[in-house]
Amino acid sequence: MKQGQKTEVKKYMLDQWLKDYHWMVEQIRLGKTQNELIKDIGYEGAKVAAYGIEATLPKASGGTSDPVSYEATRRSQFYVKRVLRYEWKVREIQRRASNVTGEREIFVLNCIKRKRRI
């Protein structure tokens, strides 16, 4: 969610988030590693010749028309948005976990979060 944006969390939403908790944590981990891989590639657009005959030729105007770099940038932005959304949901579950009382309820909550059968 966006900074400062208040969202009312309904019971059915929390229920679904708890069911998806383990999966969301895994997606956050995968999304961050994919984002790191894309950052490591570090594609910054077309390179311009500085010396030789190529330096005298006209330079391209506008942005890069490389479909691969465009797709990589698009996917990177998608992963960042998705990971931020999942992080917010996981934080909400963790923040509300302190409201759970009772030894049995805490045990059940931890089992659900770890995707374990009771």
Side-chain angles (χ1 to χ4, degrees):
M1 301 268 102
K2 294 181 181 176
Q3 285 292 66
Q5 182 179 359
K6 290 270 188 175
T7 302
E8 184 179 342
V9 179
K10 306 279 189 207
K11 185 178 178 181
Y12 72 91
M13 294 165 72
L14 273 176
D15 186 43
Q16 187 62 44
W17 295 352
L18 275 173
K19 289 177 185 174
D20 297 338
Y21 182 86
H22 187 271
W23 177 81
M24 284 192 291
V25 169
E26 199 61 28
Q27 290 299 309
I28 290 169
R29 188 183 62 77
L30 287 173
K32 286 190 176 191
T33 56
Q34 287 175 346
N35 199 22
E36 290 299 319
L37 288 174
I38 290 172
K39 283 182 183 177
D40 287 344
I41 293 170
Y43 184 78
E44 295 180 15
K47 304 298 180 195
V48 178
Y51 303 103
I53 189 87
E54 291 88 10
T56 63
L57 296 174
K59 311 300 185 273
S61 62
T64 59
S65 63
D66 183 13
V68 174
S69 80
Y70 175 75
E71 184 64 19
T73 304
R74 187 189 68 77
R75 284 186 183 185
S76 172
Q77 291 170 350
F78 172 74
Y79 286 131
V80 167
K81 288 178 185 176
R82 184 178 68 168
V83 165
L84 288 175
R85 189 172 62 245
Y86 291 160
E87 283 178 341
W88 180 80
K89 290 178 181 180
V90 167
R91 256 188 266 114
E92 279 295 310
I93 291 172
Q94 291 170 346
R95 187 175 64 81
R96 293 165 188 261
S98 63
N99 297 339
V100 177
T101 57
E103 190 174 324
R104 183 176 179 183
E105 286 81 12
I106 293 171
F107 177 76
V108 170
L109 176 65
N110 288 330
C111 287
I112 291 171
K113 286 169 57 175
R114 292 190 184 111
K115 197 87 173 183
R116 287 178 30 198
R117 299 253 178 208
I118 299 173

